[in-house]
Amino acid sequence: MRTTLSTFLATGLFSLFTATAQEKEEGFIYLFDGTSLDSWTSARVLDGGESAFSINKEEKTLHVYAGKEANSKQETDVLNTKKEYSHYILKLEYKWLEKRFAPRTDWDRDAGLLFHVHGDLKKIWPLCLEMQIGESPGDKPNARGSAGRFHSGDLFVLGKDLRVDTKGKDKYFHPEGKKRTGRSYPTKLGKEKPKGEWNEMEIRVRGSEKATFIFNGEVVHEITNFTQKDKNGNTVPLAKGRIGLQAEWAELMYRNIRIKELKPE
């Protein structure tokens, strides 16, 4: 059974989020608990189209491209929270399913966890920072086209005026490497579980100061000093934004999306 995001937005049939006793003790609340999307907006729906995201009530998951024919032409989408966040821990799980779609029927599967999303929410892709979700192994070299690399834990910075600092060695993230200021940077760390199994993702965000990427229990990337340009062209901190999930021509599911807001240090 699945219900489209468009239907939920149109009818307002939402339910309150709940949390297990353990998550309540830890201070987490659900952004998606398997039944409701009232805290989210789809870029495609905002632009008058159909979302790539739907709810699978039986599995209590977000299903991307549910029911679409394999190899058919599909559109990308991004699902953003309505609320902005600054200091928090976010956890979720994802798993790949079988289907891929045109124009990327033979590419490595690709999606993304976005944070500090801002600007035009109809835009695909919005201004943001991204923890990559992808099935490429960490030692795969980057390339163009169907040979491209999409490795869970890689950093992408979406926006020509956005910058972050990280540490690198031999062109990959390394916690003891040299400081590097820029936009995007890969990591060799992290190993994805076989297709069809659930992977665990976590980001720990401290405003504009730091974000730590954790994949299947392993720290795989860390970035600091997030900046953007203001309307006068001045460099200013990028300290908050929405959280987003990508749909990018590969069938997958997301579940147990939960957040714990933190007090600024």
Side-chain angles (χ1 to χ4, degrees):
M1 179 187 298
R2 65 185 184 94
T3 307
T4 64
L5 174 59
S6 305
T7 302
F8 269 94
L9 293 173
T11 62
L13 296 177
F14 309 127
S15 65
L16 294 175
F17 295 133
T18 60
T20 65
Q22 180 180 357
E23 292 295 345
K24 286 180 179 178
E25 288 176 5
E26 295 177 353
F28 283 84
I29 62 170
Y30 277 93
L31 295 179
F32 173 70
D33 67 348
T35 64
S36 168
L37 281 168
D38 60 338
S39 289
W40 301 80
T41 59
S42 157
R44 290 293 177 193
V45 170
L46 288 176
D47 204 33
E50 179 183 353
S51 179
F53 296 84
S54 59
I55 296 177
N56 184 316
K57 287 189 174 181
E58 293 178 355
E59 297 196 44
K60 294 187 176 181
T61 63
L62 270 178
H63 194 160
V64 180
Y65 301 119
K68 303 300 182 183
E69 183 178 352
N71 303 317
S72 62
K73 185 176 181 180
Q74 298 299 326
E75 292 184 319
T76 53
D77 196 5
V78 59
L79 196 66
N80 295 307
T81 60
K82 294 179 180 178
K83 181 179 175 180
E84 292 184 330
Y85 298 91
S86 180
H87 294 69
Y88 58 89
I89 300 171
L90 179 84
K91 296 181 180 182
L92 64 79
E93 298 167 48
Y94 78 88
K95 70 175 179 180
W96 299 112
L97 301 179
E98 289 294 332
K99 299 175 187 175
R100 287 178 284 186
F101 305 95
R104 291 191 180 181
T105 57
D106 60 348
W107 293 41
D108 287 356
R109 291 169 175 84
D110 176 23
L113 169 58
L114 312 182
F115 62 103
H116 284 6
V117 176
H118 58 288
D120 184 2
L121 297 184
K122 295 180 182 179
K123 185 178 179 181
I124 302 175
W125 306 108
L127 300 173
C128 65
L129 309 179
E130 176 185 350
M131 179 180 178
Q132 174 73 56
I133 298 174
E135 68 175 354
S136 302
D139 59 356
K140 181 176 182 177
N142 200 10
R144 294 184 178 274
S146 60
R149 168 197 167 101
F150 306 101
H151 175 63
S152 290
D154 281 355
L155 164 71
F156 282 88
V157 177
L158 306 182
K160 65 182 182 64
D161 293 326
L162 306 186
R163 295 290 185 275
V164 305
D165 293 341
T166 187
K167 291 182 178 181
K169 182 179 180 181
D170 298 327
K171 299 183 179 180
Y172 289 90
F173 167 75
H174 192 286
E176 298 178 359
K178 293 183 178 180
K179 177 183 173 181
R180 178 188 182 277
T181 300
R183 294 179 56 197
S184 301
Y185 212 61
T187 180
K188 286 186 175 181
L189 303 175
K191 185 175 181 180
E192 193 177 55
K193 295 178 182 179
K195 180 165 55 67
E197 295 186 19
W198 290 102
N199 295 277
E200 299 177 356
M201 299 188 75
E202 178 179 341
I203 54 172
R204 299 186 173 210
V205 182
R206 288 284 184 180
S208 64
E209 299 171 4
K210 184 169 71 172
T212 303
F213 298 177
I214 302 171
F215 183 57
N216 288 329
E218 178 184 3
V219 174
V220 296
H221 219 130
E222 190 164 82
I223 57 176
T224 58
N225 190 31
F226 321 147
T227 63
Q228 60 183 330
K229 297 286 188 181
D230 67 14
K231 62 181 180 181
N232 297 317
N234 300 313
T235 298
V236 297
L238 173 60
K240 65 179 181 178
R242 293 171 171 83
I243 294 163
L245 302 172
Q246 289 182 325
E248 204 163 356
W249 298 299
E251 186 183 20
L252 76 157
M253 286 182 169
Y254 298 100
R255 74 178 184 184
N256 292 333
I257 307 168
R258 55 215 192 270
I259 193 168
K260 177 180 180 179
E261 294 194 72
L262 306 172
K263 293 181 179 179
E265 293 181 345

